Amino acid sequence: NMATTGAAAMDETMRYAEYSPKTNVRNDAEIDRRLVSVRVVVGELFSRYAFQLWKPLGQAFSETVKKMPSAGFSSYYKGGFEQKMSRREAGLILGVSPAATKTKVREAHRRIMVLNHPDKGGSPYLAAKINEAKDLMEKETRR
Amino acid sequence: MAKYLAQIVVMGVQVVGRAFARALQQEYAASQAAARARGRPGQQSAAVSSITGMSVQEAQQILNVSTLSPEEIQKSYEHLFKANEKSVGGSFYLQSKVVRAKERLDEELNIQKQEQNQQSQQNPET
């Protein structure tokens, strides 16, 4: 029923197109509205199913963010080691200022290495980083 | 008459939509499994590595664990965490890396568990 009245309305519109341009605009608006509603439905369907797929990814993101220390006296440094060690990082690894003297660097290196020695259950990777830090600091230190 | 047609069409769309979603989910799980089989991180794992700035490989190197065994990880973490305490003259920076490495591996184990759950949920349907 709705279809036939719609068709009849279209016919009448075509017949009077020259005399009543406003009717044409009204029909276009109706078509636009219908297209929008179709787009809304498709969009809703897509977002509903897309969300199910992306939920694990979103969960991983929010859980990781939650785990970052929020309060407390000291917040741990974030991320892994720098791809190419900087003097700043070397200082942080050894616990000395980037402008430390050679003696201080040697002292710190020995202390930190003893704590992290692979023979005593330390990690070889960390030991390598500690040595790299010492080499870097000594390379550029004058005193 | 039109009302019934509309209902049938809507039901049809729902059925197709649900099947499509299920197929997409299976594809995603299959691609994750395939990536892992080739020794490469899945999409979720790669995203976490990018966000946290720590890869699984580096985390394993820091904690000196060859496999993602929870007991190995815990034991190594406790030893390295204590070894680098500020109070005994350790480096807070190194201690931080140890903490972040443990967090990364915990997250990776979490991801793997999630994927296993998803796969076991889908298998009975096929």
Side-chain angles (χ1 to χ4, degrees), chain A residues 9-53:
Chain A
M10 281 294 278
D11 281 355
E12 258 194 324
T13 318
M14 299 305 272
R15 215 178 298 141
Y16 290 98
E18 299 173 54
Y19 304 104
S20 43
K22 280 194 217 145
T23 332
N24 260 353
V25 170
R26 220 185 12 242
N27 265 359
D28 282 348
E30 236 183 78
I31 293 172
D32 281 343
R33 234 176 290 131
R34 278 205 207 104
L35 281 173
V36 166
S37 63
V38 166
R39 246 180 277 143
V40 167
V41 168
V42 170
E44 270 177 21
L45 280 176
F46 179 76
S47 59
R48 198 188 310 162
Y49 293 119
F51 182 68
Q52 278 182 351
L53 292 175

Side-chain angles (χ1 to χ4, degrees), chain A residues 67 76-77 80 89 111 116, chain B residues 51 53 62 84 89 93 100 107:
Chain A
K67 278 193 205 134
Y76 298 111
Y77 287 93
E89 184 175 46
R111 184 181 69 239
N116 284 283
Chain B
I51 291 169
I62 289 173
N84 286 289
Y93 187 76
R100 298 304 183 194
E107 190 56 40

